[in-house]
Amino acid sequence: MRILVVEDNTELAQWLGRTLRKEQYTVDCIDNGADADFALKSEKYNLIILDLALPKLDGKEVLRRLRARDDQTPVLILTANNTIQSRVSKLDQGADDYMAKPFEIEELEARIRMLLRRSSGQASPLIACGDLSYNTNTREFHISQQLLALTPRERAVLEMLLRKSGTTVTKHALAQSLFSLSEDASTDAIEIYVHRLRKKLEHSSAQIMTLRGLGYLLRPAGNE
């Protein structure tokens, strides 16, 4: 899952980036609204954490432009203004959630998990395909209740495939979810991760299918 943090407080942004990366999220940090607006026109994110008091373009305008493009990426607002009027206003303008500074990281992480579940259409933290299951709270995969050992990159690829289970996911979409702006989004690397995952899923009823020219599809074995 790829998250954009738009925050002009360098210390806070760096801390958030480090913390979320430890939780195996792919994170980009941008310190002004104009650059954030530009990035959101070309990059795909699963969640945006947006400060309101930003230089060049404020967070309110970033949000307005995002929704004007009919981009429904979940937006979690961070701000020091915690009045009822401010909360209601930002939610009415298209924000999905709202947190006042200062905040506890445990609550922020829980809200991120909730927003990602909601955007994926998942009410439960558990997602399954055949005997492969994923707990979005613990970020762990199991095959028939046995823990599946994965590297962070493998976990990221399998998470996206499982969240999109039954639909085709392109290499480009996988690369976008896996690599930050500072990294080379190599589609060749995706082939390597998928190859490794297939080996680890050999004894699972879930299988990764290659649809040539289209991408990858995760589905239960035997489904045609």
Side-chain angles (χ1 to χ4, degrees), residues 39-103:
L40 288 168
K41 291 175 183 176
S42 58
E43 301 293 322
K44 178 63 178 175
Y45 292 95
N46 301 99
L47 177 73
I48 303 162
I49 299 177
L50 180 65
D51 187 25
L52 291 180
L54 295 168
K56 298 185 181 180
L57 195 69
D58 66 26
K60 178 181 176 181
E61 181 61 14
V62 172
L63 176 60
R64 188 196 69 77
R65 294 185 183 188
L66 182 78
R67 296 305 187 224
R69 294 192 294 270
D70 198 29
D71 188 328
Q72 299 305 312
T73 304
V75 176
L76 192 160
I77 295 291
L78 292 181
T79 181
N81 186 351
N82 193 30
T83 65
I84 293 177
Q85 292 82 358
S86 178
R87 295 199 299 271
V88 170
S89 172
K90 299 308 173 292
L91 292 171
D92 283 346
Q93 289 164 11
D96 297 271
D97 204 354
Y98 189 108
M99 286 195 70
K101 301 175 184 178
F103 54 85

Side-chain angles (χ1 to χ4, degrees), residues 11 13 22 42 52 54 88 108 131 138 181 183 189 194 196 198 210 221 223-224:
E11 185 176 350
K22 286 180 181 178
S42 58
L52 291 180
L54 295 168
V88 170
L108 177 65
D131 61 0
T138 63
L181 288 171
E183 298 175 297
V194 169
R196 292 177 184 171
R198 284 195 173 116
T210 299
N223 281 16
E224 301 295 338

Side-chain angles (χ1 to χ4, degrees), residues 113-114 116-118 120-128 134-137 163:
R113 292 192 295 268
M114 177 270 295
L116 291 174
R117 285 199 306 269
R118 183 191 296 171
S120 299
Q122 299 287 336
S124 167
L126 294 176
I127 311 173
Y134 177 60
N135 188 316
T136 60
N137 287 342
R163 286 180 182 271

